[in-house]
Amino acid sequence: MLVLVINSGSSSLKYQVRDVAAGSVLTEGLIEKIGMGNGGDGDGEIEGPRDHAEALEQVDAAIHQELGDLELAAVGHRVVHGGERFAEPVLIDNEITRAIERLNPLAPLHNPANVLGIRAISKKWPKMPQVAVFDTAFHRTLPEHAWRYAVPDELYTNHGIRRYGFHGTSHEYVTRRAAALLNLPVNEFDGVIAHLGNGASVTAIRGGRSVDTSMGFTPLEGLVMGTRSGDLDPSILVFLGRAGWSPEDIDTMLNRESGLKGLAGNNDMRSVVEAAEAGDGKAATALAVTSYRLAKYIGGYHVAVGGAKALVFTAGIGENSHQFRALVAEKLGALGVELDAGLNAERSKEPRVISTPQSGLPVLVVPTDEERAIAEATAAVVRSGQ
Ligand code: AMP
């Protein structure tokens, strides 16, 4: 089954055509600057498609140029927010599209863009089955004591202010692969998954299900990330508000100017590690803060899952930065964690164990593949609907 996977942002559209049975990518691409151009007609051509419908025309042309005539069986959309309603991928119809739209206030940058992608497909290929795969869905199994904030109930009932969690598609996919690597049925897998990319989150998995996760109402909570602060005392925001910062100023500072960038002046882990190795004190501090925050969460989640059977690293930093993995592992002596330095330093695209046989718990590196997970989920929904 050939599935077109779409990740539609407000000004960009990322796509992949996947052969689900073969697990392969046939072609992929990225259309940028949507809404910034005039479609290239007339005088004063400005780069970029006018809207998502025009971007989709470009995707269609690129796919056909690359692959010739082919029959897409379905489209799978990455949708950021599924709120409290969506615990599974769903076949999209008008009611589902409106339900995703009703969640716009919870994800104002993402859900409206996801809906634009869905509507563009409906317009171009009205009969094409479309499936929404939600970033929050895997975390619908969080128990109330993990998703509640200790604030007046009215904030939850009137505004939906609770912890939702994100990166769910990746955490679920990596959970399945980690369980397989350990020869465990997924429902017997208890562990901690650290998805460390430019955005980063860590999830506590008990019996194959998410029981806690570090991102909350938005993807800002939790770990120190590329440009996001993660956890901080909320009074800081009140303090800044009183000092004259606008909500937009605070939002920009916390989401775009903090994290590794705020501490070390650079959001790229490779550069931060290189700078620290060259003696840059700020970079060393950034690594210390970032690895300590993660180690604290891992300790907490070890308790939350009743004793983890594995610690799993994934995404850009988790899969590639042996230096950062070592920094985290050295803080987990209380759990008996012991990395095999040789295995940790090896580069590979395969799921693997990087701890010693004596380690208190196995430490794994499991590459994530969100597009593959979306394509597989899409194919499964379409098949079950037939
Ligand atoms: P992602 O958002 O999953 O693409 O991850 C982006 C992060 O992964 C950035 O901080 C990169 O510096 C980091 N990263 C990617 N490749 C490497 C590498 N080979 N070594 C260390 N960090 C890497």
Side-chain angles (χ1 to χ4, degrees), residues 50-127:
R50 250 180 299 235
D51 53 23
H52 283 72
E54 210 167 275
L56 185 62
E57 292 300 333
Q58 294 185 9
V59 171
D60 188 31
I63 292 173
H64 281 91
Q65 192 180 2
E66 191 86 10
L67 303 173
D69 269 349
L70 84 175
E71 184 113 2
L72 291 171
V75 176
H77 293 267
R78 177 182 191 210
V79 178
V80 166
H81 220 302
E84 291 197 317
R85 170 164 173 184
F86 296 108
E88 300 282 343
V90 287
L91 197 60
I92 296 172
D93 58 19
N94 284 338
E95 192 275 321
I96 297 284
T97 309
R98 283 195 298 272
I100 295 170
E101 223 166 13
R102 279 197 296 277
L103 295 165
N104 284 356
L106 294 179
L109 296 181
H110 295 104
N111 274 38
N114 299 152
V115 169
L116 287 173
I118 291 168
R119 293 229 160 96
I121 300 273
S122 307
K123 199 165 149 218
K124 183 165 174 58
W125 297 309
K127 292 202 169 3

Side-chain angles (χ1 to χ4, degrees), residues 195-199 226 260 267-273 314-323 347 368 370:
H195 175 114
L196 311 176
N198 201 31
L260 291 177
N267 70 317
D268 192 295
M269 181 56 86
R270 274 166 296 203
S271 311
V272 178
V273 168
T314 192
I317 298 167
E319 291 167 31
N320 296 302
S321 182
H322 63 89
Q323 298 97 329
R347 300 194 66 81
T368 191
E370 286 170 283

Side-chain angles (χ1 to χ4, degrees), residues 9-13 31-40 46-56 58 116:
S10 54
S11 67
S12 68
L13 198 156
I31 310 286
E32 291 181 287
K33 298 186 180 169
I34 300 174
M36 295 175 194
N38 61 2
I46 303 169
E47 217 186 322
R50 250 180 299 235
D51 53 23
H52 283 72
E54 210 167 275
L56 185 62
Q58 294 185 9
L116 287 173

